């Protein structure tokens, strides 16, 4: 039996919602197995979470490694700032909004969509407020052949349990 790395265990746990962790002692043949199970419907984050709140004044990236992101107060992307959200990121809201005055680049893909959702254990419509693109937010720009060049874009995103997408 070989020992899995912590990162491998975390990756498996994230993907499967269950994992088997083997702790190996180099000086002993004893192997202790700890088995952790979690239901696939268990909504509360089990491994990692990043709380976010306030104003983003410079460019920022929300990575899949630090997902889920829990919005604990309104988050505002300031004018001239860009919030990039990587594929596979989950953004959970607790009765607050994401307000964009600058740029948001949320480009998920078919295998790894970006999810904007409730942080409630039993989510329901209206749990959080809005994903709001303000009039001063940068409009999406596309080059030749429809290639994204800049501005605001939401691609392969799931927006659920909020009051709505607000394009002011």
């Amino acid at each position: 039996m070989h020992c899995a790395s912590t990162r491998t265990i975390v990756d498996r746990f994230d993907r499967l919602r269950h994992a088997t962790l083997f702790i190996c002692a180099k000086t002993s043949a004893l192997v202790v197995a700890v088995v952790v199970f979690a239901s696939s419907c268990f909504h509360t984050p089990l491994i990692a979470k990043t709380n976010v709140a306030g104003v983003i004044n410079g460019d920022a990236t929300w990575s899949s490694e630090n997902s889920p992101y829990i919005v604990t107060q309104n988050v505002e992307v300031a004018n001239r700032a860009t919030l990039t959200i990587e594929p596979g990121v989950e953004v959970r809201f607790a009765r607050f909004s994401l307000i964009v005055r600058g740029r948001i680049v949320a480009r998920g893909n078919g295998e790894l969509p970006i999810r904007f959702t409730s942080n409630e254990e039993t989510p329901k419509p209206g749990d959080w407020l809005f994903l709001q693109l303000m009039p001063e937010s940068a409009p999406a720009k596309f080059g030749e052949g429809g290639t994204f060049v800049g501005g605001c874009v939401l691609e392969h995103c799931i927006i659920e349990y909020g009051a709505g997408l607000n394009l002011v």
Side-chain angles (χ1 to χ4, degrees):
M1 178 179 297
H2 84 294
C3 298
S5 72
T6 302
R7 184 71 234 162
T8 301
I9 292 163
V10 169
D11 288 346
R12 285 185 188 147
F13 191 83
D14 285 343
R15 286 191 204 123
L16 302 176
R17 296 282 192 210
H18 71 276
T20 303
L21 168 63
F22 296 100
I23 304 169
C24 299
K26 287 186 179 184
T27 58
S28 166
L30 177 66
V31 175
V32 178
V34 179
V35 180
V36 180
F37 294 98
S39 164
S40 62
C41 64
F42 193 67
H43 191 71
T44 306
L46 298 175
I47 298 229
K49 69 176 183 177
T50 304
N51 291 331
V52 291
V55 179
I56 298 172
N57 286 308
D59 294 347
T61 299
W62 290 359
S63 67
S64 56
E65 290 104 25
N66 295 317
S67 181
Y69 288 82
I70 312 299
V71 178
T72 59
Q73 292 185 358
N74 284 342
V75 171
E76 180 180 324
V77 180
N79 202 354
R80 296 191 186 99
T82 299
L83 172 60
T84 302
I85 304 176
E86 293 181 347
V89 167
E90 188 168 288
V91 182
R92 296 182 182 177
F93 293 82
R95 291 294 308 158
F96 297 102
S97 293
L98 174 58
I99 303 159
V100 180
R101 296 182 189 287
R103 290 171 298 284
I104 182 170
V105 177
R107 301 184 76 196
N109 59 51
E111 291 182 15
L112 296 170
I114 296 167
R115 183 178 304 270
F116 298 90
T117 191
S118 168
N119 195 42
E120 295 296 321
E121 193 171 319
T122 306
K124 62 186 179 308
D127 277 349
W128 58 280
L129 300 177
F130 299 98
L131 175 54
Q132 204 165 23
L133 300 178
M134 302 304 285
E136 61 269 33
S137 64
K141 294 180 185 173
F142 297 91
E144 291 185 31
T147 304
F148 175 71
V149 176
C152 291
V153 64
L154 300 169
E155 184 176 18
H156 290 281
C157 292
I158 299 166
I159 302 170
E160 60 186 6
Y161 303 116
L165 175 62
N166 196 356
L167 306 172
V168 181

